[in-house]
Amino acid sequence: QDAGGRVYNTGIDLVNDALFSSIDGGRTWDRGTAQCHDGDRPWLAGGKADQVWLATDTLEGSGSGHTVFVSTDGGNSCSATGIADNGSLADGGSWSGFGKLYYDRRNGSVVEPAIFQHGDGTFGVGISVLPAGGSAFTPHEATRGTSMYAHWPAIAIDGAGTVYVVWDTDPRQAGTSGGCSGAQTPAPNAIMMASTSNLGQTWSVPTTVASPGNVRVFWPWIAAGDSGKVSV
């Protein structure tokens, strides 16, 4: 939903991302385009009135192809050229935005969850940030040396502007082969959370939200409210 109250939705049909919107809570859908861009796994974030950001994994983009497009007419059209939200790391690895993005109305920035694949094989999670009026995303890693079981991390922004990221870990039992295609057997895992009050410049120490001990937990989502209040 954008600042003017317009609600947006998206869908895919043979990897073209449709975009459509409603100003009356879904009673009618008066604006839209059947093809914002070719891509897969589209996500949306409402911005200013009649502005919406669409993130998708494109075929032609570099790296993961993950790119963000913007519409400023309520979804009737999209920018012809998107802003790439992926890139290379200095150690030979790569990073990419991945998952549900948000528009921070306090400062006009666009924030995406991000994953980091390092050259030495280690894995990290964090965010990538497009500042208001900016032309490029900047990655900020929350923690390195973790793992992830499901598809992507999830983020939320509370009323004070603190960004939270949650993910599920993927520990394995060494010396076993009971996983998919002979991979190591899964071990009990945990839901983790980290937060940043300055858009990724510094981070809290990751904390464990859930760790049952004898089963697996997966695919966390998070919602944030007033300062310091979140539900996972």
Side-chain angles (χ1 to χ4, degrees):
Q1 186 178 34
D2 68 26
R6 181 169 289 275
V7 176
Y8 298 85
N9 206 343
T10 181
I12 58 172
D13 176 20
L14 296 178
V15 298
N16 65 290
D17 300 315
L19 178 63
F20 45 101
S21 68
S22 170
I23 195 59
D24 56 11
R27 295 179 183 88
T28 60
W29 298 85
D30 59 322
R31 298 185 188 178
T33 175
Q35 186 166 14
C36 178
H37 194 79
D38 290 334
D40 191 21
R41 290 183 174 173
W43 299 92
L44 299 177
K48 302 175 183 177
D50 292 334
Q51 181 189 53
V52 62
W53 302 85
L54 183 147
T56 187
D57 296 340
T58 65
L59 181 63
E60 75 276 12
S62 61
S64 66
H66 192 79
T67 305
V68 177
F69 299 85
V70 62
S71 173
T72 57
D73 56 11
N76 271 340
S77 64
C78 290
S79 55
T81 303
I83 302 173
D85 191 10
N86 66 89
S88 300
L89 297 172
D91 61 9
S94 63
W95 64 273
S96 177
F98 198 33
K100 171 70 175 76
L101 70 165
Y102 284 86
Y103 175 80
D104 189 341
R105 294 181 182 175
R106 298 175 70 258
N107 53 42
S109 60
V110 175
V111 185
E112 287 207 276
I115 58 174
F116 298 77
Q117 300 280 0
H118 290 277
D120 63 0
T122 56
F123 176 82
V125 299
I127 60 175
S128 54
V129 179
L130 176 71
S135 58
F137 280 89
T138 300
H140 300 279
E141 192 170 23
T143 183
R144 179 177 176 178
T146 185
S147 57
M148 190 171 66
Y149 177 49
H151 295 75
W152 45 73
I155 62 171
I157 306 175
D158 73 14
T162 297
V163 180
Y164 303 81
V165 57
V166 292
W167 70 100
D168 47 12
T169 61
D170 187 23
R172 300 289 174 141
Q173 300 176 39
T176 62
S177 58
C180 294
S181 302
Q184 291 180 328
T185 304
N189 69 336
I191 302 296
M192 304 297 295
M193 179 174 69
S195 63
T196 173
S197 59
N198 49 23
L199 290 177
Q201 298 300 318
T202 58
W203 289 89
S204 69
V205 175
T207 58
T208 302
V209 175
S211 182
N214 61 341
V215 295
R216 282 216 153 193
V217 284
F218 66 98
W219 218 332
W221 297 97
I222 183 169
D226 295 335
S227 177
K229 294 184 178 181
V230 297
S231 293
V232 181

